Amino acid sequence: MNALVIDTFEFCRTNSSRDGVTPVAEMTRLAKECADASGEIAWKAVGSTHKLGFPQMTLSVNGIVQLICQRCLQPYAHHLDSSTVLMLGKDDEQADEIEATIDDESIDVIVGSRNMELMYLVEDEALLALPQSPRHDVCPDSSLLDKAKSEKISPFDALKSLKPE
């Protein structure tokens, strides 16, 4: 993954923005969660200052990744589309204070840095956007699943076959 190091505080103070498209194959942690490393993630980071004066960054990811359906165990294309607001504290103590002050569950408070790897944050956002239990809306070939459901074999039938005659 290309290194894109930013000073998060300066990025927010100057209302900077960066965007790009990164192949899933370059995001090693994300690629491990996918059926394969195909696809790309379009991302955008926009810095600003919250009305209470705290630096904040809006981070968005959008793209298609290949996941394994937990029902039929077949790969499928999953559309990621997520955006989050990250508020920045100078250290853990300030981050805790900000969290208590804003009291807003929709905003994540993190510790900012003068040399943060932006792509690490992008990959984190993509990972957090993955479903906990990936599934097709409708599995393409559910005949095996249907067959397994209809052939309910009693465990006692299996025991009968073990009994000597």
Side-chain angles (χ1 to χ4, degrees):
M1 203 165 21
N2 294 333
L4 183 53
V5 178
I6 62 168
D7 176 337
T8 54
F9 300 107
E10 186 67 14
F11 186 83
C12 294
R13 188 185 67 73
T14 59
N15 297 327
S16 297
S17 72
R18 298 295 285 261
D19 58 48
V21 177
T22 303
V24 171
E26 290 183 19
M27 299 178 168
T28 54
R29 295 179 297 141
L30 179 60
K32 285 180 188 175
E33 299 298 320
C34 297
D36 63 44
S38 65
E40 298 177 324
I41 302 295
W43 56 270
K44 184 172 187 167
V46 179
S48 61
T49 303
H50 186 269
K51 63 185 175 192
L52 296 175
F54 302 118
Q56 70 180 15
M57 182 186 308
T58 302
L59 188 59
S60 305
V61 294
N62 192 316
I64 304 288
V65 293
Q66 297 297 316
L67 300 178
I68 298 291
C69 174
Q70 296 300 301
R71 275 192 215 119
C72 67
L73 301 178
Q74 297 300 311
Y76 77 101
H78 180 79
H79 182 246
L80 290 181
D81 188 8
S82 179
S83 183
T84 192
V85 175
L86 302 172
M87 200 163 283
L88 309 172
K90 289 181 173 49
D91 53 32
D92 286 328
E93 187 178 319
Q94 187 187 34
D96 291 341
E97 288 173 19
I98 292 170
E99 208 162 80
T101 301
I102 61 169
D103 193 31
D104 185 345
E105 294 292 321
S106 68
I107 297 175
D108 293 323
V109 181
I110 64 171
V111 176
S113 170
R114 299 273 176 216
N115 57 350
M116 183 168 286
E117 176 56 58
L118 183 58
M119 292 311 298
Y120 191 81
L121 290 176
V122 169
E123 187 171 16
D124 278 352
E125 183 60 22
L127 285 164
L128 290 169
L130 292 176
Q132 283 185 318
S133 181
R135 288 181 234 158
H136 288 103
D137 289 332
V138 176
C139 292
D141 182 14
S142 61
S143 60
L144 291 175
L145 184 61
D146 293 339
K147 183 179 176 185
K149 284 181 182 177
S150 67
E151 289 182 5
K152 291 193 177 182
I153 299 172
S154 166
F156 298 106
D157 289 341
L159 290 174
K160 283 181 190 174
S161 67
L162 296 175
K163 181 180 171 187
E165 294 186 27

